Amino acid sequence: MTVESTAAARKPRRASKRTSAAKKPQSSDPQLVQLLTPEGERVEHPDYSIDLSADELRGLYRDMVLTRRFDAEATALQRQGELGLWASLLGQEAAQIGSGRALRDDDYVFPTYREHGVAWCRGVDPTNLLGMFRGVNHGGWDPSTNNFHLYTIVIGSQTLHATGYAMGVAKDGADSAVIAYFGDGASSQGDVAESFTFSAVYNAPVVFFCQNNQWAISEPTERQTRVPLYQRAQGYGFPGVRVDGNDVLACLAVTRSALERARRGEGPTLVEAFTYRMGAHTTSDDPTKYRADDERAAWEAKDPILRLRTYLEKSGHADEAFFTELEAESETLGKRVREAVRAMPDPEPMALFEHGYADGSSLVDEERAQFAAYQASFADSAEEGK
Amino acid sequence: MAVEKMSIAKALNESLRLALDNDPKVLIMGEDVGKLGGVFRITDGLQKDFGEDRVIDTPLAESGIVGTAIGLALRGYRPIVEIQFDGFVFPAYDQIVTQLAKMHARALGKIKLPVVVRIPYGGGIGAVEHHSESPEALFAHVAGLKVVSPSNASDAYWMMQQAVQSDDPIIFFEPKRRYWDKGEVDTESIPGPLHRAVTVREGSDLTLVAYGPMVKVCLEAAAAAQEEGKSIEVLDLRSMSPIDFDAIQTSAEKTGRVVVVHEAPVFYGSGAEIAARITERCFYHLEAPVLRVGGYHVPYPPARLEDEYLPGLDRVLDAVDRSLAF
Ligand SMILES: Cc1ncc(C[n+]2csc(CCOP(=O)(O)OP(=O)(O)O)c2C)c(N)n1
């Protein structure tokens, strides 16, 4: 059984605790914005209220389940040798779907390499994300189609691009916002500090969305910072918020509010989504070298998908048919992704020389011609051999 | 004699262990070098044995890693820093080029900066973007830096020792696709100097000049050419800055033909420098222009195209044929 179907099929653990009344957040961290507890109970927060229809709630659930399914399929495809590498988002679905669904079409997203759920929200076909992991391209989609920029592998770089883009948005007098995703590890990079500086002094309409998944490969967050990350913002002169990153409602509410603030011309916000990377850093990584076994178990109890399922069931916002249909839809998605990847052709050798320059280059032309002649020499010798 | 067969990765690990053992001022710094032992496990077990004060997991910040290593060196330490992959050295490039390379000269020689910057480099492992690049020329071009790259386990072991003992900053490029290649290491007999080239195969018709990951390809090409009756010499440069031009000259004068092979783009690459110097030094001995085989002037391609991009046996032999045809 695949990972995502486990969560979807498993019975809610605390189904007996039936309540719909709003409660105080139960997190031990009073700074953590939470609207849905790990037990699947709705709670209120004084600054972040949200009122979603049953349809919208089911939509968020569907997004998370399908994203997890896509992620599990990609992991499996890597294991089968169809992908060279995969960076799983397992456990981070709420952070990505919550923030992703807070965006408007005209907002612009700068992701890292793990934002498969945000890409889903932007309407990017998931198979598009797999080209770079299969090794057939370095991105391969047009960022302007969905206002979803290319994945960025060099840690932290994209936060500056986001800031610059947001400065451009402000110059244009537009009211769209920009969001930059990055990890807790990235918060150590100079580029991220510089993006905070620039966005603050130019009052850029940008939301910095840090998914603190507790690890940067083998290094825990404490190796990057001695203060909670959201507090960093204060030193730059803009607000920072820590949100329960496994609570899709809270992620949606907090991101929405930060985006609105940006649209109103009030400048940047740092959102720290407190979450957990349930799998390895990437398929090349071996977390048993550095991570205690029981850590994951503790976070599994906070699973973002499970808690929304509990709430949907308890509140009667979704019935069994919904879950069954979604399971079938997951299967279809998995199949489609699998087939698309297997059918993805290797690039033609001559593709090496494409797109290096917008205006072309005589140097590349010369090398292309030499390469073509060299390739052709094999064809000739094959002829001769006949 | 203590000869052991080990991989390049293991040789580096043993060498780093020895360096830590020999000198309490030696430090290892970098992302994930501690518990994980680095993403290639080159520092495996070192933190366990030498502690977190000697083998230091750093924040995820390359400029910070090199910049603080400079400060530690100013304070008398000898940091060996790991940059996780070639493409991630650029956030540290400023510190390396504007500071590390120049401070000794600015202090009129009064300060020394014995910093080793280890960079796993080059392609051939099917990785994603920024994990397969060969930026050696960018460093070799900068005065004040020394740039080396071992091609086998013995050199990995000994060149690391020599780099750590050097009072100059050394950019130590590790050919990542060769990490798992095994070779014999004599851990007792100290070899020649760090910046000397070594003839790894004797021949009389043509000289292949290479370093790092391409040495193996050149040796294979020479073996294949042998079957066609061609006698090819292979020179392992080991050091890209300084370059042992005397060794190149000797070989070029002997064979009269030189082909330089590297993974990095040919355009403005180290082959250009070598070709130009050979022409200056032994114009009258040459039977053919110095040819170069290397990468194209394109971004390092996605994994499924890298075999087309990287010089392989066929491209090297093609250049050998072209040279011999002059
Ligand atoms: C500049 C740079 N240095 C190192 C790396 C190698 N690397 C890739 S991901 C990663 C950890 C990133 O951690 P974090 O920012 O917390 O994001 P996460 O992967 O946990 O989402 C590292 C060190 C890189 N990609 N870029």
Side-chain angles (χ1 to χ4, degrees), chain B residues 170-189:
Chain B
I170 308 264
I171 313 298
F172 196 99
F173 280 106
E174 299 172 1
K176 71 169 88 81
R177 73 156 132 161
R178 304 284 178 235
Y179 269 149
W180 305 280
D181 287 6
K182 286 191 174 170
E184 284 186 351
V185 180
D186 183 341
T187 54
E188 272 163 24
S189 84

Side-chain angles (χ1 to χ4, degrees), chain A residues 113-114 153 155 183-186 213 215-216 281, chain B residues 31 62 84 88:
Chain A
Y113 41 78
R114 206 190 286 284
I153 286 183
I155 299 293
D184 47 309
N213 64 11
W215 293 93
H281 168 71
Chain B
E31 295 157 12
E62 286 77 9
Q84 204 155 71
F88 308 144

